[in-house]
Amino acid sequence: MSKNIKLYFDLMSQPSRAMYILFDLAQIPTDHQPVALRKGAHMTDEFKAINRFQKVPCIVDHDGFKLSESIAILRYLDRKNEFPLLKNLYPEDTKHRAQVDEFLEWQHNGLRIFCAMYFQLAWLLPILTGKPSAQDRVDEMKDRMEMALDTMEDVWLGEKNKFITGEKLTAADIWAACEIEQPKMAGYDPVKGRPRLANWLKEVRNATNPVYDEAHKYVRKICESSKKAKL
């Protein structure tokens, strides 16, 4: 029996990208299972049997154990205690891990929801429906997203931190970077006017490449297409 873990993902999904990067950096034996959300592959009965919530990312372990939700997957992989390199990203030190967990708990409603909703309203829904979103809703979500990005700049990164919890890259940085990349596809530059955020994002990319760029290849492609369309 293969010891590989099946990772179901779509690289247009922020937590999918985070999982994709994490699996690579931690050298977790993986069977990549792309799920094309744009084609409705997650809505099939076949996929529902894999994940009852019909979302990505999710995994099926080599013994058939199924699990969804990226943070739950991270913690499950850590508790398996089979992947030593994972400790570099999800540290064993109690206080350091607590700081990583603090960010991962905050980011759901403190960062992700606003970046994701702005992206959906400003870019995704108009493409899917053929109609522009209500401008007041787009503006509202933009304001909330910018407040979240300012919190990243001023609170989480502060004056001294190279990464979110200190001088070393952790899962907190990977999850945050993948969320912050998302609004770029809607033509919004999240690091403009935020020098600490810009430097941090560059550090995350440098620390995780080449897998970071591989995970964001579709994001980059859409960003480039959008820029050409405006010329």
Side-chain angles (χ1 to χ4, degrees):
M1 178 185 294
S2 172
K3 293 294 185 180
N4 288 9
I5 296 175
K6 291 182 179 179
L7 173 63
Y8 293 82
F9 65 93
D10 186 323
L11 292 180
M12 287 292 287
S13 153
Q14 306 93 299
S16 283
R17 295 196 297 270
M19 284 272 90
Y20 189 93
I21 293 168
L22 182 94
F23 269 63
D24 182 89
L25 295 179
Q27 295 183 17
I28 297 171
T30 312
D31 283 339
H32 287 144
Q33 302 288 329
V35 179
L37 300 181
R38 66 193 181 281
K39 296 181 179 179
H42 59 305
M43 301 305 294
T44 64
D45 290 339
E46 180 182 8
F47 188 71
K48 189 174 183 180
I50 296 166
N51 180 4
R52 60 195 186 281
F53 300 113
Q54 296 179 281
K55 295 180 179 180
V56 291
C58 61
I59 63 168
V60 178
D61 207 341
H62 64 85
D63 61 357
F65 177 71
K66 301 171 184 176
L67 190 64
S68 63
E69 297 298 329
S70 63
I71 306 304
I73 295 170
L74 167 66
R75 291 169 178 162
Y76 167 72
L77 295 173
D78 172 72
R79 285 192 294 271
K80 281 173 70 72
N81 205 31
E82 296 176 2
F83 314 111
L85 293 179
L86 186 58
K87 302 300 182 184
N88 296 333
L89 303 170
Y90 197 49
E92 290 184 288
D93 177 78
T94 300
K95 291 181 179 179
H96 195 183
R97 176 172 294 192
Q99 291 176 317
V100 174
D101 283 337
E102 180 184 30
F103 179 83
L104 293 175
E105 296 295 344
W106 173 84
Q107 63 97 23
H108 288 290
N109 293 317
L111 177 67
R112 171 172 170 72
I113 189 171
F114 305 122
C115 290
M117 285 303 298
Y118 176 78
F119 164 72
Q120 290 181 29
L121 290 168
W123 188 83
L124 184 60
L125 290 178
I127 288 178
L128 294 177
T129 65
K131 300 177 182 179
S133 299
Q135 192 58 46
D136 60 335
R137 288 285 291 134
V138 176
D139 292 342
E140 177 189 4
M141 206 50 60
K142 181 180 179 182
D143 289 343
R144 293 191 178 192
M145 176 180 68
E146 290 182 334
M147 289 177 63
L149 293 170
D150 289 343
T151 300
M152 283 292 303
E153 171 89 352
D154 299 329
V155 178
W156 288 106
L157 297 177
E159 295 292 342
K160 297 180 180 179
N161 285 1
K162 181 177 181 180
F163 295 108
I164 290 173
T165 63
E167 292 303 304
K168 294 183 178 181
L169 176 92
T170 69
D173 300 288
I174 296 171
W175 261 253
C178 291
E179 295 296 342
I180 289 171
E181 290 278 4
Q182 199 75 356
K184 288 183 178 181
M185 290 186 285
Y188 181 86
D189 184 356
V191 302
K192 185 177 181 180
R194 300 181 181 93
R196 288 192 294 276
L197 194 67
N199 186 64
W200 162 81
L201 193 60
K202 181 180 178 181
E203 293 285 356
V204 174
R205 183 183 181 189
N206 289 341
T208 58
N209 257 338
V211 69
Y212 189 91
D213 283 349
E214 182 181 345
H216 287 86
K217 59 186 177 182
Y218 297 123
V219 173
R220 300 276 185 264
K221 185 176 180 180
I222 290 170
C223 290
E224 291 170 5
S225 297
S226 297
K227 288 179 181 178
K228 289 179 181 179
K230 291 180 180 179
L231 296 178

